[in-house]
Amino acid sequence: MFNRRQTLVLMGAAAAAALPLAAQAAPEQLKTLRIGWQKNGVLALAKGNGALEKRFATRGIDIRWSEFSSGPPLLEALGAGAIDFGPTGDVPPLFAQAAGGNLVYAGTYRGPPDGSAILVHKDAPIRSIADLKDKRIAFKRGSSAHNFTVKALRTAGLTLADISASDLAPSDAAAAFTSGQVDAWAIWDPYLAVAEKRPEARVLASGKGIVESWSFFLANGGFAESDGDILADLLDELRLVGKSAQDNLDETVRNLASITGVPEDIQRVVLTREGADLGKVAAVSPEAIAYQQELADEFFKLGIVPKQLDVSRIVWRRKQA
C-alpha cells in the first residue's frame, strides 16, 4: 500500500496564499525579501544553509520563506504580490500570465527529463501510452505534469479528450492512485522518486524523449522593477549554492534530507538522474523564451490556456548601469 505519510511530508501549506493579500503588500522600502519555495532543488538548499540570509544581511534585508506544494498556488501568491520570488515548472507561468498576474520570468534552471513520469499499478494491463485511452489519469492542472501528459498522449495519437483527467495535488493524487481511484498518475520529483520505491507502482513512461525539462524562477513584477539589483544578486547566489551542492553530492543529499524530511535514498535518486545539475541557474535565454512561447501557443490552440500569450512581454532583463 502506498505510504501516504511519505507524500504528506513533501506537502507544504501555501502559507503566503492563506494570508490576506492586503497584509502582504510590499512596503515603500524593501526590508523583507519574501521567497516561495518547494521541497526540492537549489532554493531548498539555500533555505537550509542560510546562504541568502548571509548574502543580504549587510543590506538590512530579512528573508521570509513560504512553502508551497506546487507551482500554481505559488504563482498565484507571486502575481498578487504576496511573495516576491519563487520557482516553478513550465506550465504554471502560462496560467498566471493569462490570469493577469503581475509577474516576470527572472531566471531558468534545467532538470533531468526522467524526473517526471507517468506511473501505473504494477499488475495493471497498461503496457503502453496507447493503453491509457479511456483510463483515469491524475495530474495537477496547470503544472508541468499537465504538459507532460499532453505530450505523452500525443506520442500514441491520443489527446486529453481520450482520457478521464483528475485534477489533483500530489498528496491527493498519491492517495487516489494507492486506492485505485485512478489508473495512472503523472508526477515529478521528489514525489516521483518516493513513488518509485513502492512495490505496487510501475513507471509507464518518463519524460525522456517526450518533454524538455525547463523550469523557471519568477519574480513579482513590481519587485523586479524596483529592486532589480537584489533580484540579480539573488539569482547569482542561487547559482553559487547550486554549483557547490553539485560538487559535494554526499553532503547535499544529507542536507536536503534534513531540510525536507525526504529520506536520503530518495534524495540521491533525484540528484543523480541523468542530466541533474543544481548549478544550472541562468538568465532567461532566447532558447527558453522560444520554448515557453511554443508551449503557450500549443496550450492556447488546445483550449487549455484561455488567451494568446506573448511570453517575451514578461521576461525580466536586468537594467545596465
Side-chain angles (χ1 to χ4, degrees):
M1 185 173 178
F2 194 93
N3 189 334
R4 181 175 173 83
R5 291 183 63 189
Q6 284 184 297
T7 53
L8 286 176
V9 76
L10 294 166
M11 301 298 295
L19 296 173
L21 294 181
Q24 297 285 325
E28 286 187 16
Q29 184 176 1
L30 185 67
K31 293 183 179 179
T32 302
L33 176 55
R34 302 163 300 171
I35 298 176
W37 72 295
Q38 300 180 54
K39 282 191 171 177
N40 59 10
V42 68
L43 260 181
L45 287 168
K47 181 180 186 297
N49 67 17
L52 299 180
E53 285 81 356
K54 295 171 188 174
R55 177 101 179 211
F56 293 110
T58 59
R59 298 164 72 170
I61 297 172
D62 294 324
I63 309 296
R64 181 186 303 164
W65 298 89
S66 296
E67 186 182 331
F68 294 82
S69 62
S70 62
L74 187 154
L75 291 192
E76 182 179 354
L78 186 76
I83 58 175
D84 302 307
F85 181 85
T88 179
D90 49 13
V91 174
L94 305 183
F95 283 84
Q97 183 179 4
N102 182 20
L103 74 175
V104 294
Y105 292 91
T108 65
Y109 60 104
R110 302 289 294 270
D114 57 357
S116 295
I118 295 177
L119 299 172
V120 295
H121 299 280
K122 181 180 179 180
D123 298 325
I126 302 171
R127 296 295 167 182
S128 69
I129 297 295
D131 293 336
L132 291 174
K133 184 175 173 61
D134 299 324
K135 297 298 190 294
R136 297 161 296 176
I137 304 178
F139 59 86
K140 179 58 187 171
R141 175 177 170 80
S143 72
S144 60
H146 195 161
N147 180 32
F148 175 44
T149 302
V150 168
K151 287 182 167 55
L153 291 172
R154 183 179 298 154
T155 66
L158 302 178
T159 71
L160 290 176
D162 294 308
I163 65 163
S164 176
S166 295
D167 178 14
L168 296 173
S171 65
D172 296 324
F177 181 78
T178 299
S179 63
Q181 296 177 50
V182 297
D183 302 295
W185 177 23
I187 191 59
W188 59 88
D189 275 333
Y191 307 99
L192 170 61
V194 171
E196 285 179 302
K197 292 285 187 179
R198 305 305 303 168
E200 70 273 19
R202 170 167 53 89
V203 173
L204 179 68
S206 78
K208 190 172 184 178
I210 295 177
V211 65
E212 295 184 59
S213 189
W214 282 99
S215 294
F216 298 89
F217 293 108
L218 286 98
N220 175 266
F223 163 65
E225 176 66 24
S226 63
D227 294 285
D229 58 333
I230 293 175
L231 179 54
D233 283 353
L234 172 54
L235 291 166
D236 181 61
E237 188 62 35
L238 291 179
R239 180 185 60 80
L240 295 174
V241 169
K243 185 179 184 306
S244 176
Q246 199 65 38
D247 291 341
N248 300 278
L249 275 182
D250 288 343
E251 180 182 356
T252 299
V253 165
R254 291 192 296 270
N255 288 342
L256 272 177
S258 175
I259 294 162
T260 66
V262 180
E264 289 187 20
D265 60 332
I266 300 296
Q267 295 292 357
R268 189 171 295 279
V269 168
V270 172
L271 294 173
T272 56
R273 294 194 193 276
E274 183 180 355
D277 187 345
L278 291 166
K280 289 183 179 177
V281 177
V284 184
S285 66
E287 181 186 5
I289 297 172
Y291 170 85
Q292 279 297 94
Q293 188 61 59
E294 182 179 350
L295 182 58
D297 294 342
E298 176 184 26
F299 269 43
F300 174 66
K301 290 176 183 176
L302 292 173
I304 300 171
V305 172
K307 61 193 292 187
Q308 186 74 58
L309 301 174
D310 180 359
V311 170
S312 64
R313 190 178 64 81
I314 62 164
V315 175
W316 174 72
R317 296 174 176 84
R318 186 177 185 181
K319 294 178 181 178
Q320 299 300 316

